[in-house]
Amino acid sequence: PEQLHASMETAMNELSAFETELAGKELSPEDSQRLSALMNIQTLLRMLDDTMFQMTCLARDRINRGGGPFKEPAGSLVEASEVLVMSLAEAMASGDPMDIEMLDKISADKRSVMKEFKRKYLDLPEGAAAAEKSVILDLSNHYEHSVWIINRLTSLIEKRR
């Protein structure tokens, strides 16, 4: 994940430099609005990359190496995030209203689902170390953050249609 994250950072920095250069030029109101929307999308994509990187490293370093009772739920959170990211990529690439609508539905507010997930895995007293519970809590917070970011991106994509 480190190489992929570093590559994304490089690409984002180059895009930021280009956007800053464009913002310094005389643009029509419509072009300024489009540039602003693209800059917002880029900011959210950078946030998503950071969140996914942190989540993946946390799962790799703290759960997968040690195993334990939380390996399965940790893997589920990472996989669910990957599905969301792939759905986002597909919706952004295709612009298909059905893809965007599906993404909107799967990235809608899932607080009740996450509350149940946390209750199920964090209320396990037997053999569950506080450190492992802490990692699951951190992973679920990263997951919720990625869902929120993807939902925001979805609404920006819908506005651009």
Side-chain angles (χ1 to χ4, degrees):
E2 286 82 5
Q3 272 188 321
L4 184 58
H5 182 64
S7 296
M8 184 70 154
E9 280 293 310
T10 300
M12 288 293 182
N13 290 338
E14 289 180 25
L15 281 172
S16 289
F18 180 68
E19 289 169 342
T20 301
E21 184 181 323
L22 276 179
K25 298 192 182 290
E26 185 121 358
L27 299 174
S28 69
E30 296 83 19
D31 287 342
S32 291
Q33 189 174 15
R34 286 176 48 207
L35 178 60
S36 177
L38 290 172
M39 290 172 86
N40 287 337
I41 289 171
Q42 182 191 347
T43 297
L44 288 168
L45 288 172
R46 186 184 295 260
M47 289 170 57
L48 181 61
D49 177 61
D50 288 342
T51 300
M52 292 300 296
F53 175 69
Q54 292 167 8
M55 185 178 193
T56 303
C57 289
L58 183 63
R60 176 196 65 199
D61 297 342
R62 300 285 303 279
I63 297 289
N64 289 340
R65 288 192 183 151
F70 294 113
K71 188 171 184 173
E72 184 180 327
S76 296
L77 287 172
V78 172
E79 286 178 29
S81 293
E82 289 174 4
V83 168
L84 282 168
V85 170
M86 295 304 292
S87 298
L88 172 65
E90 188 173 317
M92 289 182 81
S94 74
D96 184 334
M98 288 181 64
D99 289 342
I100 295 168
E101 184 179 337
M102 178 60 71
L103 183 60
D104 188 46
K105 287 179 182 176
I106 64 174
S107 68
D109 187 2
K110 304 286 188 229
R111 278 183 266 194
S112 61
V113 173
M114 289 309 297
K115 186 176 181 180
E116 179 63 22
F117 177 87
K118 289 175 187 177
R119 187 200 60 74
K120 180 178 179 182
Y121 289 106
L122 298 180
D123 288 349
L124 294 173
E126 317 157 14
E132 290 173 316
K133 287 183 178 185
S134 173
V135 171
I136 288 297
L137 184 60
D138 287 346
L139 283 171
S140 63
N141 288 338
H142 286 309
Y143 174 78
E144 288 177 294
H145 190 227
S146 69
V147 170
W148 178 85
I149 293 167
I150 290 171
N151 188 263
R152 292 293 310 132
L153 281 163
T154 303
S155 78
L156 290 174
I157 293 168
E158 284 178 320
K159 287 179 185 175
R160 293 189 66 214
R161 284 195 297 170

Coordinates of all heavy atoms in Angstrom, one line a residue, residues 77-147:
L77 N -14.4 -5.3 6.9 CA -14.4 -3.8 6.8 C -13.5 -3.4 5.6 O -13.9 -2.5 4.8 CB -13.9 -3.2 8.0 CG -14.9 -3.2 9.2 CD1 -14.3 -2.7 10.5 CD2 -16.2 -2.4 8.9
V78 N -12.4 -4.0 5.5 CA -11.5 -3.6 4.4 C -12.1 -4.0 3.0 O -12.1 -3.2 2.1 CB -10.1 -4.2 4.5 CG1 -9.2 -4.0 3.3 CG2 -9.4 -3.7 5.8
E79 N -12.7 -5.2 2.9 CA -13.3 -5.6 1.7 C -14.5 -4.7 1.3 O -14.7 -4.4 0.2 CB -13.7 -7.1 1.8 CG -12.6 -8.1 1.7 CD -13.0 -9.5 1.9 OE1 -14.2 -9.8 1.5 OE2 -12.2 -10.3 2.4
A80 N -15.3 -4.4 2.3 CA -16.4 -3.5 2.1 C -16.0 -2.1 1.5 O -16.6 -1.6 0.6 CB -17.3 -3.3 3.4
S81 N -14.9 -1.7 2.1 CA -14.3 -0.4 1.6 C -13.9 -0.5 0.2 O -14.1 0.4 -0.7 CB -13.2 0.1 2.5 OG -13.6 0.4 3.8
E82 N -13.2 -1.6 -0.1 CA -12.8 -1.9 -1.5 C -13.9 -1.9 -2.5 O -13.8 -1.4 -3.6 CB -12.0 -3.2 -1.6 CG -10.6 -3.1 -0.9 CD -9.9 -4.5 -0.9 OE1 -10.4 -5.4 -1.4 OE2 -8.8 -4.5 -0.3
V83 N -15.0 -2.5 -2.1 CA -16.2 -2.6 -3.0 C -16.7 -1.2 -3.2 O -17.1 -0.8 -4.4 CB -17.3 -3.5 -2.4 CG1 -18.7 -3.3 -3.1 CG2 -16.9 -4.9 -2.4
L84 N -16.8 -0.4 -2.2 CA -17.2 1.0 -2.3 C -16.3 1.8 -3.3 O -16.8 2.6 -4.1 CB -17.3 1.7 -1.0 CG -18.5 1.4 -0.1 CD1 -18.2 1.9 1.3 CD2 -19.7 2.0 -0.7
V85 N -15.0 1.6 -3.1 CA -14.0 2.4 -4.0 C -14.2 1.9 -5.4 O -14.2 2.7 -6.3 CB -12.6 2.2 -3.4 CG1 -11.6 2.7 -4.4 CG2 -12.4 2.9 -2.1
M86 N -14.3 0.6 -5.6 CA -14.5 0.1 -7.0 C -15.8 0.6 -7.6 O -15.8 1.0 -8.8 CB -14.4 -1.4 -7.0 CG -13.1 -2.0 -6.6 SD -11.7 -1.3 -7.6 CE -12.1 -2.1 -9.2
S87 N -16.8 0.7 -6.8 CA -18.1 1.2 -7.3 C -18.0 2.7 -7.6 O -18.6 3.2 -8.6 CB -19.2 1.0 -6.3 OG -19.4 -0.4 -6.0
L88 N -17.2 3.4 -6.8 CA -17.0 4.8 -7.1 C -16.3 5.0 -8.4 O -16.6 5.9 -9.2 CB -16.2 5.5 -5.9 CG -15.7 6.9 -6.1 CD1 -16.9 7.9 -6.3 CD2 -14.7 7.3 -5.0
A89 N -15.2 4.2 -8.6 CA -14.4 4.3 -9.8 C -15.3 4.0 -11.0 O -15.2 4.8 -12.1 CB -13.2 3.3 -9.8
E90 N -16.1 3.0 -10.9 CA -17.0 2.7 -12.1 C -18.0 3.8 -12.3 O -18.2 4.2 -13.5 CB -17.8 1.4 -11.7 CG -18.5 0.8 -12.9 CD -19.1 -0.5 -12.6 OE1 -18.4 -1.4 -12.0 OE2 -20.3 -0.8 -13.0
A91 N -18.6 4.4 -11.3 CA -19.6 5.4 -11.5 C -18.9 6.7 -12.0 O -19.5 7.3 -12.9 CB -20.3 5.8 -10.1
M92 N -17.7 7.0 -11.6 CA -17.0 8.2 -12.1 C -16.6 8.0 -13.6 O -16.7 8.9 -14.4 CB -15.8 8.5 -11.3 CG -16.1 9.1 -9.9 SD -14.7 9.5 -8.9 CE -14.3 11.1 -9.6
A93 N -16.2 6.8 -13.9 CA -15.7 6.5 -15.3 C -16.9 6.5 -16.2 O -16.8 7.0 -17.4 CB -15.0 5.2 -15.3
S94 N -18.0 5.8 -15.8 CA -19.1 5.7 -16.8 C -20.1 6.9 -16.8 O -20.6 7.2 -17.8 CB -19.9 4.4 -16.4 OG -20.7 4.6 -15.2
G95 N -20.2 7.5 -15.6 CA -21.2 8.6 -15.6 C -22.6 8.1 -15.7 O -23.6 8.9 -15.8
D96 N -22.8 6.8 -15.7 CA -24.1 6.1 -15.9 C -25.0 6.5 -14.7 O -24.6 6.2 -13.5 CB -23.9 4.6 -16.0 CG -25.2 3.9 -16.3 OD1 -26.3 4.4 -15.9 OD2 -25.2 2.8 -16.9
P97 N -26.2 7.0 -14.9 CA -27.0 7.4 -13.8 C -27.4 6.2 -12.9 O -27.5 6.4 -11.7 CB -28.3 7.9 -14.5 CG -27.8 8.4 -15.8 CD -26.7 7.5 -16.2
M98 N -27.5 5.0 -13.4 CA -27.8 3.8 -12.6 C -26.6 3.5 -11.7 O -26.8 3.1 -10.5 CB -28.1 2.6 -13.5 CG -29.5 2.8 -14.1 SD -30.0 1.4 -15.1 CE -30.1 0.1 -13.9
D99 N -25.4 3.6 -12.2 CA -24.2 3.4 -11.4 C -24.1 4.4 -10.2 O -23.8 4.1 -9.1 CB -22.9 3.5 -12.2 CG -22.7 2.3 -13.2 OD1 -23.4 1.3 -13.0 OD2 -21.9 2.5 -14.1
I100 N -24.4 5.6 -10.6 CA -24.3 6.7 -9.6 C -25.4 6.5 -8.5 O -25.2 6.7 -7.3 CB -24.5 8.1 -10.3 CG1 -23.2 8.3 -11.1 CG2 -24.6 9.2 -9.2 CD1 -23.3 9.5 -12.1
E101 N -26.6 6.1 -9.0 CA -27.7 5.9 -8.0 C -27.4 4.7 -7.1 O -27.6 4.8 -5.9 CB -29.0 5.6 -8.8 CG -30.2 5.4 -7.9 CD -31.5 5.1 -8.7 OE1 -31.6 5.5 -9.9 OE2 -32.4 4.5 -8.1
M102 N -26.8 3.7 -7.6 CA -26.4 2.5 -6.8 C -25.3 2.9 -5.8 O -25.4 2.6 -4.6 CB -25.9 1.4 -7.7 CG -25.4 0.2 -6.9 SD -26.7 -0.6 -5.9 CE -27.7 -1.3 -7.2
L103 N -24.4 3.7 -6.2 CA -23.3 4.2 -5.3 C -23.9 5.0 -4.2 O -23.6 4.9 -3.1 CB -22.3 5.0 -6.1 CG -21.1 5.5 -5.3 CD1 -20.3 4.3 -4.7 CD2 -20.2 6.3 -6.2
D104 N -24.9 5.9 -4.6 CA -25.6 6.7 -3.6 C -26.3 5.8 -2.6 O -26.2 6.1 -1.4 CB -26.6 7.6 -4.3 CG -27.2 8.7 -3.4 OD1 -26.4 9.3 -2.6 OD2 -28.4 8.8 -3.4
K105 N -26.9 4.8 -3.0 CA -27.6 3.9 -2.0 C -26.6 3.1 -1.1 O -26.9 3.0 0.1 CB -28.5 2.9 -2.8 CG -29.7 3.5 -3.4 CD -30.5 2.5 -4.2 CE -31.7 3.2 -4.8 NZ -32.5 2.3 -5.6
I106 N -25.5 2.6 -1.7 CA -24.6 1.9 -0.9 C -23.7 2.7 0.0 O -23.1 2.2 1.0 CB -23.8 0.8 -1.7 CG1 -22.8 1.5 -2.6 CG2 -24.7 -0.2 -2.3 CD1 -21.9 0.6 -3.4
S107 N -23.7 4.0 -0.3 CA -22.9 4.9 0.6 C -23.7 5.8 1.4 O -23.2 6.8 2.1 CB -21.9 5.8 -0.3 OG -22.7 6.7 -1.1
A108 N -25.0 5.5 1.5 CA -25.9 6.3 2.3 C -25.6 6.0 3.8 O -24.8 5.1 4.1 CB -27.4 5.9 2.1
D109 N -26.1 6.8 4.7 CA -25.9 6.8 6.1 C -26.1 5.3 6.6 O -27.2 4.8 6.5 CB -26.8 7.8 6.8 CG -26.4 7.9 8.3 OD1 -25.5 7.2 8.8 OD2 -27.1 8.7 9.0
K110 N -25.1 4.8 7.2 CA -25.2 3.4 7.7 C -24.9 3.3 9.2 O -24.3 2.4 9.7 CB -24.2 2.5 7.0 CG -24.3 2.4 5.5 CD -25.5 1.6 5.1 CE -25.6 1.4 3.6 NZ -26.8 1.7 3.0
R111 N -25.2 4.4 9.9 CA -24.9 4.4 11.3 C -25.5 3.3 12.1 O -24.8 2.7 13.0 CB -25.4 5.7 12.0 CG -24.4 6.9 11.7 CD -24.9 8.1 12.4 NE -25.6 8.8 11.4 CZ -26.0 10.1 11.6 NH1 -25.7 10.7 12.6 NH2 -26.6 10.7 10.6
S112 N -26.7 2.9 11.8 CA -27.4 1.8 12.5 C -26.6 0.5 12.3 O -26.5 -0.4 13.2 CB -28.9 1.7 12.2 OG -29.0 1.4 10.8
V113 N -26.2 0.2 11.0 CA -25.5 -1.0 10.7 C -24.1 -1.0 11.4 O -23.7 -2.0 12.0 CB -25.2 -1.1 9.2 CG1 -24.3 -2.2 8.8 CG2 -26.6 -1.2 8.4
M114 N -23.4 0.1 11.4 CA -22.1 0.2 12.1 C -22.3 0.1 13.6 O -21.4 -0.5 14.3 CB -21.4 1.5 11.7 CG -20.9 1.5 10.3 SD -20.0 0.0 9.8 CE -18.6 0.1 10.9
K115 N -23.4 0.6 14.1 CA -23.6 0.5 15.6 C -23.8 -0.9 16.0 O -23.2 -1.4 17.0 CB -24.9 1.3 16.0 CG -25.1 1.4 17.4 CD -26.3 2.3 17.7 CE -26.6 2.4 19.2 NZ -27.8 3.2 19.5
E116 N -24.5 -1.7 15.2 CA -24.7 -3.1 15.4 C -23.4 -3.9 15.2 O -23.0 -4.8 16.0 CB -25.8 -3.7 14.5 CG -26.0 -5.2 14.6 CD -26.5 -5.6 16.0 OE1 -27.1 -4.7 16.7 OE2 -26.3 -6.7 16.4
F117 N -22.6 -3.5 14.2 CA -21.3 -4.2 14.0 C -20.4 -3.9 15.2 O -19.8 -4.9 15.7 CB -20.6 -3.5 12.7 CG -19.3 -4.1 12.4 CD1 -19.1 -5.2 11.7 CD2 -18.1 -3.4 12.9 CE1 -17.8 -5.7 11.4 CE2 -16.9 -3.9 12.7 CZ -16.7 -5.1 11.9
K118 N -20.3 -2.7 15.7 CA -19.5 -2.4 16.8 C -20.0 -3.1 18.1 O -19.2 -3.7 18.8 CB -19.4 -0.9 17.1 CG -18.6 -0.1 16.0 CD -18.7 1.3 16.3 CE -18.1 2.1 15.2 NZ -18.2 3.6 15.4
R119 N -21.3 -3.2 18.3 CA -21.8 -3.9 19.4 C -21.4 -5.3 19.4 O -21.0 -5.9 20.4 CB -23.3 -3.7 19.5 CG -23.9 -4.3 20.8 CD -25.4 -4.6 20.7 NE -25.7 -5.6 19.6 CZ -25.5 -6.9 19.7 NH1 -24.9 -7.4 20.7 NH2 -25.8 -7.7 18.7
K120 N -21.6 -5.9 18.2 CA -21.3 -7.4 18.0 C -19.8 -7.7 18.4 O -19.5 -8.7 19.0 CB -21.6 -7.8 16.6 CG -21.4 -9.3 16.4 CD -21.8 -9.7 15.0 CE -21.5 -11.2 14.7 NZ -21.8 -11.6 13.4
Y121 N -18.9 -6.9 17.8 CA -17.5 -7.2 18.0 C -16.8 -6.6 19.2 O -15.8 -7.1 19.6 CB -16.8 -6.9 16.7 CG -17.1 -7.9 15.6 CD1 -18.0 -7.5 14.6 CD2 -16.7 -9.2 15.6 CE1 -18.3 -8.4 13.6 CE2 -17.1 -10.1 14.7 CZ -17.9 -9.7 13.6 OH -18.3 -10.6 12.7
L122 N -17.3 -5.5 19.7 CA -16.7 -4.8 20.8 C -17.2 -5.3 22.1 O -16.6 -5.0 23.1 CB -16.7 -3.3 20.6 CG -16.0 -2.8 19.4 CD1 -16.2 -1.3 19.3 CD2 -14.6 -3.2 19.3
D123 N -18.3 -6.0 22.1 CA -18.9 -6.4 23.4 C -18.5 -7.9 23.7 O -19.1 -8.5 24.5 CB -20.4 -6.3 23.4 CG -20.9 -4.9 23.5 OD1 -20.1 -4.0 23.7 OD2 -22.1 -4.7 23.2
L124 N -17.5 -8.4 23.0 CA -17.0 -9.7 23.3 C -16.0 -9.7 24.4 O -14.9 -9.2 24.3 CB -16.3 -10.3 22.0 CG -17.2 -10.5 20.8 CD1 -16.3 -10.9 19.6 CD2 -18.2 -11.6 21.1
P125 N -16.4 -10.2 25.6 CA -15.4 -10.2 26.7 C -14.4 -11.3 26.7 O -13.3 -11.1 27.1 CB -16.4 -10.4 27.9 CG -17.5 -11.2 27.4 CD -17.7 -10.8 25.9
E126 N -14.7 -12.5 26.2 CA -13.8 -13.6 26.3 C -12.7 -13.5 25.3 O -12.9 -13.5 24.1 CB -14.6 -14.9 26.0 CG -15.9 -15.0 26.6 CD -16.8 -16.0 25.9 OE1 -16.4 -16.8 25.0 OE2 -18.0 -15.9 26.2
G127 N -11.5 -13.5 25.8 CA -10.3 -13.6 24.9 C -10.0 -12.4 24.0 O -9.2 -12.4 23.2
A128 N -10.8 -11.4 24.2 CA -10.7 -10.2 23.4 C -9.9 -9.1 24.2 O -10.4 -8.5 25.1 CB -12.1 -9.7 23.0
A129 N -8.7 -8.9 23.7 CA -7.9 -7.9 24.4 C -8.3 -6.5 24.0 O -8.9 -6.2 23.0 CB -6.4 -8.1 23.9
A130 N -8.1 -5.6 25.0 CA -8.5 -4.2 24.7 C -7.8 -3.6 23.5 O -8.4 -2.8 22.8 CB -8.2 -3.3 26.0
A131 N -6.6 -4.0 23.3 CA -5.9 -3.5 22.1 C -6.5 -3.9 20.8 O -6.6 -3.1 19.9 CB -4.4 -3.9 22.2
E132 N -7.0 -5.2 20.8 CA -7.7 -5.7 19.6 C -9.0 -4.9 19.3 O -9.3 -4.6 18.2 CB -7.9 -7.2 19.6 CG -6.6 -8.0 19.6 CD -6.9 -9.5 19.8 OE1 -7.6 -9.8 20.8 OE2 -6.3 -10.3 19.1
K133 N -9.7 -4.7 20.4 CA -11.0 -4.0 20.3 C -10.7 -2.6 19.8 O -11.5 -2.0 19.0 CB -11.7 -4.0 21.6 CG -12.3 -5.3 22.0 CD -13.1 -5.1 23.4 CE -13.7 -6.4 23.8 NZ -14.5 -6.3 25.0
S134 N -9.6 -2.0 20.3 CA -9.3 -0.6 19.9 C -9.0 -0.6 18.4 O -9.4 0.4 17.7 CB -8.1 -0.2 20.6 OG -7.6 1.1 20.2
V135 N -8.3 -1.6 17.8 CA -8.1 -1.7 16.4 C -9.3 -1.8 15.6 O -9.5 -1.1 14.6 CB -7.1 -2.8 16.1 CG1 -6.9 -3.0 14.6 CG2 -5.7 -2.6 16.7
I136 N -10.3 -2.6 16.1 CA -11.6 -2.8 15.4 C -12.3 -1.4 15.4 O -12.9 -1.0 14.4 CB -12.4 -3.9 16.0 CG1 -11.8 -5.3 15.6 CG2 -13.9 -3.8 15.5 CD1 -11.8 -5.5 14.1
L137 N -12.3 -0.8 16.5 CA -12.9 0.5 16.6 C -12.3 1.5 15.6 O -13.0 2.2 14.9 CB -12.9 1.1 18.0 CG -13.6 2.4 18.3 CD1 -15.1 2.3 18.0 CD2 -13.4 2.8 19.7
D138 N -11.0 1.5 15.6 CA -10.3 2.4 14.6 C -10.6 2.1 13.2 O -10.9 2.9 12.3 CB -8.7 2.3 14.8 CG -8.3 3.0 16.0 OD1 -9.0 3.8 16.6 OD2 -7.1 2.8 16.4
L139 N -10.6 0.8 12.9 CA -11.0 0.3 11.5 C -12.4 0.7 11.1 O -12.7 1.2 10.0 CB -10.8 -1.2 11.4 CG -9.4 -1.7 11.2 CD1 -9.4 -3.2 11.3 CD2 -8.8 -1.2 9.9
S140 N -13.3 0.5 12.1 CA -14.7 0.9 11.8 C -14.9 2.4 11.6 O -15.7 2.8 10.8 CB -15.7 0.3 12.8 OG -15.4 0.9 14.1
N141 N -14.1 3.2 12.3 CA -14.1 4.6 12.2 C -13.6 5.0 10.8 O -14.2 5.9 10.1 CB -13.4 5.3 13.3 CG -14.1 5.3 14.6 OD1 -15.3 5.1 14.7 ND2 -13.4 5.4 15.7
H142 N -12.5 4.4 10.4 CA -12.0 4.6 9.0 C -13.0 4.2 8.0 O -13.2 4.9 7.0 CB -10.7 3.9 8.8 CG -9.5 4.4 9.5 ND1 -9.1 5.7 9.4 CD2 -8.6 3.8 10.3 CE1 -8.0 5.9 10.1 NE2 -7.7 4.8 10.7
Y143 N -13.7 3.1 8.2 CA -14.7 2.6 7.2 C -15.8 3.7 7.1 O -16.2 4.1 6.0 CB -15.2 1.3 7.6 CG -16.4 0.9 6.8 CD1 -16.2 0.4 5.5 CD2 -17.7 1.0 7.2 CE1 -17.2 0.0 4.7 CE2 -18.8 0.6 6.4 CZ -18.5 0.1 5.1 OH -19.6 -0.2 4.3
E144 N -16.3 4.1 8.3 CA -17.4 5.1 8.3 C -16.9 6.4 7.6 O -17.7 7.0 6.9 CB -17.8 5.4 9.7 CG -18.6 4.3 10.3 CD -19.0 4.5 11.7 OE1 -18.1 4.6 12.6 OE2 -20.2 4.7 12.0
H145 N -15.7 6.8 7.8 CA -15.2 8.0 7.1 C -15.1 7.8 5.6 O -15.5 8.7 4.9 CB -13.8 8.3 7.7 CG -13.3 9.7 7.3 ND1 -12.0 9.9 6.8 CD2 -13.9 10.9 7.3 CE1 -11.9 11.1 6.5 NE2 -13.0 11.8 6.8
S146 N -14.7 6.6 5.2 CA -14.6 6.4 3.8 C -16.0 6.4 3.1 O -16.2 6.9 2.0 CB -13.9 5.1 3.4 OG -14.6 3.9 3.9
V147 N -17.0 5.8 3.8 CA -18.4 5.9 3.4 C -18.9 7.3 3.2 O -19.5 7.7 2.2 CB -19.3 5.0 4.3 CG1 -20.8 5.3 3.9 CG2 -19.0 3.6 4.2

